[in-house]
Amino acid sequence: MNIIPIKAQAGITGFESPAAEYKTLPMTLDEILIDHPTATFVGIADGDSMIGQGIFSGDVLIVDRSAKPTNLDVVVATLNGSFVCKLYDRIGHRLMSGNDLNKTYHLRDGDDFLEEGIVIRSIRNHRQPVKLARCLR
């Protein structure tokens, strides 16, 4: 994999082509993005409840089941039979959205709640990958 060893600015300001500066890294995207391959799965975000955390509908979520839990992690979990992606307040036992339009959910006795893993990274797709679209059908 080739990488440009500069921070590319979002604005076009007329800088020289960095092609001469390419360096080849001895690693794959899997190695860069995934810390624990045997404990990691990929999900797709659906909806707008986590936009405040920078997660938008269609984003790829890299979820690590073996990451060390901390308070207010973004997690993927099952709640009463539905998959959710929320901020998990482990101290207050509640699930919070990254969007003020969604209410906080206070976990109660009797809820069927299982944390599936911690979202360690999300990837924005500016164009839906064809192979990914086929998987989602």
Side-chain angles (χ1 to χ4, degrees), residues 23-102:
K23 294 181 180 180
T24 301
L25 295 180
M27 59 179 62
T28 66
L29 278 176
D30 284 353
E31 293 169 316
I32 293 170
L33 298 173
I34 298 173
D35 299 329
H36 306 105
T38 59
T40 300
F41 66 93
V42 173
I44 305 297
D46 185 28
D48 61 1
S49 72
M50 294 302 289
I51 60 174
Q53 301 309 118
I55 297 174
F56 295 83
S57 195
D59 285 357
V60 175
L61 306 176
I62 299 175
V63 184
D64 190 333
R65 291 179 177 225
S66 66
K68 182 180 177 188
T70 61
N71 197 40
L72 298 178
D73 281 326
V74 175
V75 301
V76 170
T78 53
L79 175 63
N80 300 326
S82 297
F83 273 106
V84 295
C85 178
K86 300 290 178 196
L87 285 162
Y88 184 16
D89 178 359
R90 297 172 192 283
I91 297 167
H93 304 287
R94 58 192 182 148
L95 300 173
M96 302 179 304
S97 294
N99 183 336
D100 293 337
L101 299 176
N102 298 88

